[in-house]
Amino acid sequence: MAKRDYYEVLGISKGASASEIKKAYRKKAIEFHPDKNPDNKEAEAKFKEAAEAYEILSDADKKARYDQYGHQAFENGGGFGGGGMNMDDIFSQFGDIFGGGFGGFSGFGGGGGQRRVKGSNLRIRVKLTLEEIANGVEKKIKVKRKVQAPGTTYKTCSTCNGTGQVTRITNTILGRMQTSSPCNVCGGAGETIDKKPADADAQGLKIAEETVSIKIPAGVVEGMQLKVSGKGNEAPGNGISGDILVVIEEEPHEKLQREGDNLHYDLYVSFSDAVLGTSKEIDTVTGKVRIKVEAGVQSGKILRLRGKGIPSINGYGKGDLLVHVNVWTPKTLSKQQKEFFENMREDEHFEPKPEKSDKSFFEKVKDMFS
């Protein structure tokens, strides 16, 4: 089933401000909260759907990528992967959205209970060839991430007694006010370290190297960021792991130039081949192909090979391969060759006679973008 548009999910327009996005999510989250809709799977799905939409639209970078590429920008674990996060995950990230008076539903940690600490994210860069971008690829990358050290044990935080919250009472002009905030000793986790091995850090974590498999869809572009959920640094205690943020880098190709989903190839032919016609083998991202060059071809002619470009990241077909024909004029000639061309100066067959079909440079450029 296709995902709904994130703006539609929250009931806002594309031009909505950050505060409007937050307000819209808060309204939806309260409307479909499991406590208000017990045993209602449809409401739970809408609750997660709203959280997924907010996770993307509340982040300026993710919002920009979504506006440009849609849901495909977050394939491979981007966003919440189709609403797969559980309630603890959602409240650990967005619990503060409910503010005073709306937290603490069912002890999920929406502002009034123990919360699950999330490990930090890792950011890596992956270089891809044009062939890998065109066909999609699975990369196995070695990453160094923090994991819980074997032998580390945890105990209930003595400051908050495992609740993850500390309560303070202050006197104001309106009377005595009671406020709750995350425990500053355990960070709201409700646990502190009991024992840890010598090679662990203060949180009971240590560095370990791990090989991570990353599936990269076809059509990604330079600078695009994918997310591999749960493969970042682990968190202490009962926390959840962070993510790996994969930044795409595009390696230059020896013969092909990319422009969006289209590719450009410069084909140089000799003067003789241009006059007599020929066939040439050229590189594409799916292998070599042979193309026919008609006799009398003009320099600047563009041959369009449809569907031989890069697949659209949005899944709307493929771009084209545009072959630019360049007739190579000899720079040095033998005496005999020079005499031949001297004799051809006034020959009617060598006189330029452009036809309507021989488009100007500007018309060719216009056609390329049409």
Side-chain angles (χ1 to χ4, degrees):
M1 182 178 176
K3 286 187 179 181
R4 283 205 299 156
D5 178 77
Y6 286 145
Y7 293 99
E8 180 186 337
V9 169
L10 297 183
I12 54 177
S13 66
K14 265 195 172 184
S17 65
S19 61
E20 288 172 332
I21 293 172
K22 185 174 182 179
K23 183 178 179 181
Y25 168 57
R26 186 173 184 270
K27 181 180 178 181
K28 293 290 183 183
I30 292 172
E31 179 183 354
F32 297 114
H33 197 285
D35 274 11
K36 292 193 173 184
N37 302 272
D39 301 320
N40 186 331
K41 294 295 182 182
E42 183 180 352
E44 181 179 330
K46 289 184 177 180
F47 180 79
K48 292 180 179 180
E49 183 183 46
E52 179 178 349
Y54 180 70
E55 195 260 354
I56 299 300
L57 300 183
S58 63
D59 183 293
D61 178 58
K62 292 178 182 178
K63 182 178 183 296
R65 283 185 284 128
Y66 176 74
D67 288 345
Q68 187 171 4
Y69 301 109
H71 292 296
Q72 285 76 14
F74 304 97
E75 288 181 350
N76 268 356
F80 284 150
M85 274 188 115
N86 60 38
M87 295 302 178
D88 283 344
D89 293 330
I90 293 173
F91 277 103
S92 70
Q93 292 194 42
F94 308 128
D96 63 328
I97 202 76
F98 296 106
F102 291 97
F105 292 118
S106 288
F108 280 117
Q114 186 187 74
R115 68 185 183 93
R116 295 180 69 187
V117 176
K118 185 175 182 180
S120 57
N121 293 334
L122 295 176
R123 185 184 178 91
I124 63 173
R125 295 182 176 274
V126 173
K127 290 186 176 182
L128 302 176
T129 65
L130 266 183
E131 288 81 4
E132 289 173 331
I133 290 172
N135 299 294
V137 67
E138 183 172 352
K139 289 280 189 179
K140 294 187 182 297
I141 307 294
K142 286 186 177 180
V143 297
K144 291 183 177 180
R145 58 193 293 253
K146 290 183 177 181
V147 299
Q148 289 191 23
T152 301
T153 58
Y154 299 86
K155 61 183 180 181
T156 300
C157 176
S158 59
T159 302
C160 65
N161 293 320
T163 64
Q165 298 283 317
V166 290
T167 302
R168 295 181 177 84
I169 299 176
T170 55
N171 294 316
T172 71
I173 58 173
L174 299 176
R176 291 165 64 84
M177 299 286 290
Q178 179 176 302
T179 58
S180 295
S181 61
C183 176
N184 63 337
V185 174
C186 65
E191 294 181 327
T192 56
I193 289 180
D194 182 24
K195 297 177 183 177
K196 67 180 182 68
D199 60 348
D201 64 14
Q203 294 181 308
L205 306 174
K206 62 182 294 185
I207 300 293
E209 188 172 77
E210 182 178 332
T211 299
V212 177
S213 181
I214 303 171
K215 290 184 178 180
I216 299 174
V220 293
V221 296
E222 174 87 18
M224 181 176 283
Q225 185 172 280
L226 307 177
K227 184 171 77 173
V228 182
S229 299
K231 289 297 183 178
N233 290 322
E234 290 187 357
N238 65 349
I240 56 177
S241 297
D243 308 316
I244 292 180
L245 306 179
V246 183
V247 181
I248 301 299
E249 289 187 357
E250 189 177 302
E251 291 184 341
H253 194 278
E254 184 181 358
K255 295 182 179 179
L256 297 170
Q257 295 287 333
R258 182 180 183 182
E259 182 183 40
D261 293 336
N262 291 332
L263 296 173
H264 297 269
Y265 182 98
D266 275 315
L267 175 64
Y268 289 89
V269 297
S270 69
F271 195 81
S272 300
D273 283 340
V275 172
L276 302 173
T278 186
S279 66
K280 292 286 185 179
E281 193 176 68
I282 66 170
D283 291 319
T284 74
V285 287
T286 55
K288 293 182 179 295
V289 298
R290 184 166 288 276
I291 63 171
K292 184 178 180 181
V293 179
E294 299 285 351
V297 69
Q298 301 299 314
S299 192
K301 174 76 173 178
I302 298 173
L303 307 177
R304 184 186 292 267
L305 304 185
R306 297 198 177 274
K308 291 294 185 181
I310 303 292
S312 168
I313 190 67
N314 291 315
Y316 304 132
K318 292 183 177 181
D320 302 326
L321 173 57
L322 303 172
V323 181
H324 301 259
V325 178
N326 301 285
V327 178
W328 184 262
T329 304
K331 294 184 178 181
T332 57
L333 297 172
S334 67
K335 182 179 179 181
Q336 185 182 12
Q337 291 168 336
K338 193 170 183 180
E339 286 177 353
F340 170 78
F341 284 108
E342 285 286 357
N343 293 331
M344 294 300 108
R345 277 187 186 274
E346 306 301 327
D347 190 285
E348 62 175 322
H349 296 295
F350 279 72
E351 284 288 325
K353 296 176 182 177
E355 300 175 351
K356 287 185 178 181
S357 59
D358 298 321
K359 296 181 179 180
S360 70
F361 170 79
F362 294 105
E363 288 175 315
K364 290 172 185 173
V365 172
K366 182 180 177 182
D367 285 348
M368 279 168 36
F369 294 98
S370 62

